[in-house]
Amino acid sequence: MKKTWFKWAALGAPALVIAGCATYPDPATTRRVAEKMVNESFTAPAPALLKRLAQDKSQQICSKIGGAQLTQEEAAEVTRLARASIKYPPSGKLVGDWKRGDKLAHDGAGDRIQRGRLEKRKENGGLCQNCHALAPGEINVGNVGPSLTGYGLQRGTSDAIAKLTYERIYNAWAYSPCSNMPRLGATGHLTPEQIIHMVAYLIDPQSPINSR
Ligand code: HEC
């Protein structure tokens, strides 16, 4: 009895493995099929939105299946591409007006579809409040990203901090490859001028985000 069971198991195991291999496509094929399905079924009211279906080089690297880890080489490539994408304002000034930054940080509008149409806005909002805690005491804030409350108090206002902050907002993947922080400057959602206002909002000692 025991022997028969063993024989069947010995015969069955390789058959199962072969069947498994034949049934499940490899990850690259799975990705191709899934992307084709998404591309063919997604409709958008504006051509600008359809462009998002084409993943750029870094997004392709980041779109790993099943939350798989990035290799060191992949992380380095995403970081390199992100650094290369960063453009600075022509004035070279990286700290703008914190009041304008404050407004933008709390403004979640831009590139949204409303009643089947792409909303028309003079400028997009920064969306920061959706993911980050901002000034102390604000309760309607997100927690996808770390709290930015007291950001400038902890870091100061040096040129190095202004540059780091600008770059993190322009393309967060220059520092955290494939993170959930949107590449707000690199994707064209925010302009360099808007980003310098965000930098001021984060580091200016007068900004409410740094009030004690
Ligand atoms: C979709 C969510 C999301 C949005 C929207 C978002 N962030 Fe982030 N942010 C994150 C996440 C997640 C991190 C942590 C990973 C990283 O650093 O990329 C982060 C990190 C940061 C950091 C680095 C924090 C540190 O401690 O050094 C800064 C600065 C920052 N965000 C600023 C902003 C600003 C300013 C905006 C709006 C213009 C914004 N973020 C919008 C998710 C978001």
Side-chain angles (χ1 to χ4, degrees), residues 18-48:
I18 292 164
C21 292
T23 321
Y24 296 106
D26 62 280
T29 313
T30 310
R31 169 181 289 199
R32 251 198 326 277
V33 172
E35 283 179 0
K36 192 162 172 277
M37 271 167 59
V38 172
N39 276 320
E40 285 172 0
S41 58
F42 185 76
T43 55

Side-chain angles (χ1 to χ4, degrees), residues 59-128:
Q59 185 62 68
Q60 280 171 23
I61 298 174
C62 296
S63 302
K64 291 199 113 180
I65 291 173
Q69 291 288 307
L70 286 181
T71 63
Q72 252 182 14
E73 291 73 32
E74 287 168 336
E77 178 65 357
V78 173
T79 309
R80 188 188 67 76
L81 289 166
R83 294 222 170 111
S85 77
I86 298 174
K87 295 193 174 60
Y88 300 88
S91 66
K93 219 181 101 194
L94 296 185
V95 188
D97 171 357
W98 69 258
K99 288 188 181 133
R100 289 201 54 198
D102 189 357
K103 272 216 186 93
L104 285 167
H106 294 86
D107 183 348
D111 291 347
R112 292 183 303 195
I113 300 170
Q114 292 179 322
R115 293 190 201 90
R117 285 164 189 268
L118 185 64
E119 71 177 333
K120 282 214 173 74
R121 293 267 306 194
K122 262 213 334 255
E123 64 172 4
N124 290 329
L127 320 167
C128 323

Side-chain angles (χ1 to χ4, degrees), residues 33-210:
V33 172
E35 283 179 0
K36 192 162 172 277
M37 271 167 59
V38 172
N39 276 320
E40 285 172 0
S41 58
F42 185 76
T43 55
L49 293 177
L50 284 173
K51 268 201 261 165
R52 294 184 190 174
L53 288 171
Q55 299 187 33
D56 61 23
K57 181 86 190 298
S58 3
Q59 185 62 68
Q60 280 171 23
I61 298 174
C62 296
S63 302
K64 291 199 113 180
I65 291 173
Q69 291 288 307
L70 286 181
T71 63
Q72 252 182 14
E73 291 73 32
E74 287 168 336
E77 178 65 357
V78 173
T79 309
R80 188 188 67 76
L81 289 166
R83 294 222 170 111
S85 77
I86 298 174
K87 295 193 174 60
Y88 300 88
S91 66
K93 219 181 101 194
L94 296 185
V95 188
D97 171 357
W98 69 258
K99 288 188 181 133
R100 289 201 54 198
D102 189 357
K103 272 216 186 93
L104 285 167
H106 294 86
D107 183 348
D111 291 347
R112 292 183 303 195
I113 300 170
Q114 292 179 322
R115 293 190 201 90
R117 285 164 189 268
L118 185 64
E119 71 177 333
K120 282 214 173 74
R121 293 267 306 194
K122 262 213 334 255
E123 64 172 4
N124 290 329
L127 320 167
C128 323
Q129 184 189 20
N130 295 358
C131 296
H132 293 285
L134 301 171
E138 287 184 29
I139 44 172
N140 184 18
V141 295
N143 60 3
V144 174
S147 164
L148 299 174
T149 308
Y151 182 92
L153 291 177
Q154 294 156 4
R155 295 168 178 79
T157 55
S158 65
D159 289 350
I161 284 295
K163 184 160 180 277
L164 171 76
T165 308
Y166 180 91
E167 291 174 346
R168 288 200 90 128
I169 302 170
Y170 197 100
N171 193 337
W173 293 0
Y175 294 94
S176 318
C178 305
S179 81
N180 284 333
M181 163 110 180
R183 299 170 289 165
L184 293 161
T187 57
H189 184 85
L190 293 180
T191 64
E193 204 217 332
Q194 286 178 303
I195 296 176
I196 69 171
H197 299 321
M198 309 293 334
V199 174
Y201 174 63
L202 289 177
I203 70 173
D204 192 310
Q206 302 299 314
S207 162
I209 212 169
N210 295 320

